[in-house]
Structures are given as structure tokens and as C-alpha cells.
Amino acid sequence: MIRGIDVSAYQSSFETDGLAFVFVKATEGRSYINPRQTAQAKQARDAGCVVGFYHFLWPGNIKAQAEYFVEECVSKGRDLLAVDWEWTGENTRASNAEKDAFLREVKRLRPTHRVLLYCNRDFWLNHDDTSFAGDGLWIADYTTAGKPRIKADWRFHQYTDRPLDKNLGDFSSESALRSWANSA
């Protein structure tokens, strides 16, 4: 397993020592852009990390949200792209059909990128009814690192949010992750 983190505008700084990957929040809905994403992605790239970006999904306007995400995130080459599917601040959520449509639209717009689904264990077990995760599942379950309590195959496991979101990647090495990312 390899180590990584995910960051948003809340993290003004972070350490990259020992990390193989960093996911950066890029956008949310159709109006929010992380003002720190460029600097955060640069820091991760400068440290030699694989970089990914994620979009916090709101219900409605799915095609427009996918377009907004790919246009406003500062992705390069074959960076990883993910959708964050969970409850919004207004206690709403995108439907399964909307989640699936978003993943498919991002893949259509960026066919050379791996496109992932991020969700927590509750969403995966109690809200998802399609098991569609694009090119891979990034599961949040705050338990023993690398042992999320699900039966599905997963690529990334967010196992804690203290002091920041820490993740493991189910890859033998950073090189294996790069190879997977480049084979989309």
C-alpha cells in the first residue's frame, strides 16, 4: 500500500514527505473553485507525487457540473479525477443516476484520465444501488488503515481525517499507481 492525502482550501499548508499521491479539491457545484488548488497541486507535483483532483457533487445540472470541473481544475496529463458524492451542506445529495452520469460525462470529456468515485461507507452501503465507481472506488471509512469495512474492490481508502485526510492506495508502489493512471 502507498500513502497519500487529500486537501481542500482548509489546508493552507501540508507536508508531502513519504507521500505517493495527493488529491486536491478543485470545484463544487457550478460556482466554487478552490482558490488554493494551483498552489496545492504545484506543491504535490514538486514533491514528485501523483496528483488527483476532485469535485464535490450537488444534485442537478450534472453535465454543467462535469464541464465546470474539467474546465476549472488545473489537471495535467493523466492526473486522476474524482467525484465526491456525499451529503451537501443543505442535507441533499445527488442521486445514483446523477452520480453515474457525472462519472460518465467526466470520462467522456477526459477519456485519457482515470475517473473515480469518492464516497463514505454509509453512502456505498446504504445509498448506492448501481455499484458504479467509474475507474475505481475511493472509500472513506474511518477504521484500520487499508481495511475498509466493505466487500467491494477499492483503489483508495481514506481512513482518518485527523490531523488531515489520510489515505492509502491499493498499489504496490508509486510506480504502479503511475502506470495505472497512465493506462486509462
Side-chain angles (χ1 to χ4, degrees):
M1 302 257 179
I2 55 174
R3 293 180 42 224
I5 59 172
D6 60 275
V7 297
S8 67
Y10 293 111
Q11 286 78 38
S12 57
S13 66
F14 56 91
E15 293 296 320
T16 55
D17 291 342
L19 299 181
F21 61 91
V22 175
F23 281 98
V24 177
K25 180 175 184 176
T27 55
E28 181 171 333
R30 292 182 303 132
S31 61
Y32 175 81
I33 300 170
N34 174 2
R36 293 188 169 144
Q37 77 165 307
T38 300
Q40 290 169 329
K42 181 181 184 319
Q43 180 181 349
R45 288 185 209 293
D46 289 351
C49 297
V50 172
V51 176
F53 294 91
Y54 68 94
H55 172 83
F56 189 95
L57 188 64
W58 280 73
N61 301 306
I62 298 305
K63 186 174 181 181
Q65 284 189 71
E67 291 168 352
Y68 185 71
F69 174 47
V70 300
E71 289 169 7
E72 299 299 337
C73 84
V74 295
S75 68
K76 295 181 180 180
R78 301 209 178 215
D79 289 339
L80 304 172
L81 302 175
V83 60
D84 180 349
W85 183 48
E86 58 185 287
W87 294 110
T88 69
E90 296 177 0
N91 203 33
T92 62
R93 68 172 171 85
S95 69
N96 277 274
E98 289 173 319
K99 175 260 297 180
D100 293 354
F102 183 90
L103 287 163
R104 287 187 173 95
E105 183 65 10
V106 171
K107 188 67 170 186
R108 186 187 72 76
L109 294 168
R110 295 293 184 267
T112 62
H113 292 256
R114 292 285 186 173
V115 180
L116 307 159
L117 169 65
Y118 167 92
C119 68
N120 62 40
R121 181 175 181 260
D122 174 62
F123 264 59
W124 186 253
L125 296 177
N126 300 311
H127 299 289
D128 183 84
D129 62 16
T130 66
S131 298
F132 182 65
D135 293 317
L137 177 61
W138 174 15
I139 190 75
D141 184 22
Y142 296 170
T143 186
T144 304
K147 297 185 185 229
R149 296 167 294 168
I150 61 170
K151 293 180 181 175
D153 291 333
W154 53 273
R155 285 292 180 175
F156 298 94
H157 175 209
Q158 182 186 88
Y159 60 91
T160 187
D161 63 356
R162 292 200 167 75
L164 59 114
D165 293 345
K166 293 183 182 181
N167 299 267
L168 287 180
D170 191 16
F171 298 90
S172 60
S173 64
E174 183 178 323
S175 176
L177 170 57
R178 283 187 194 287
S179 182
W180 178 76
N182 289 329
S183 66

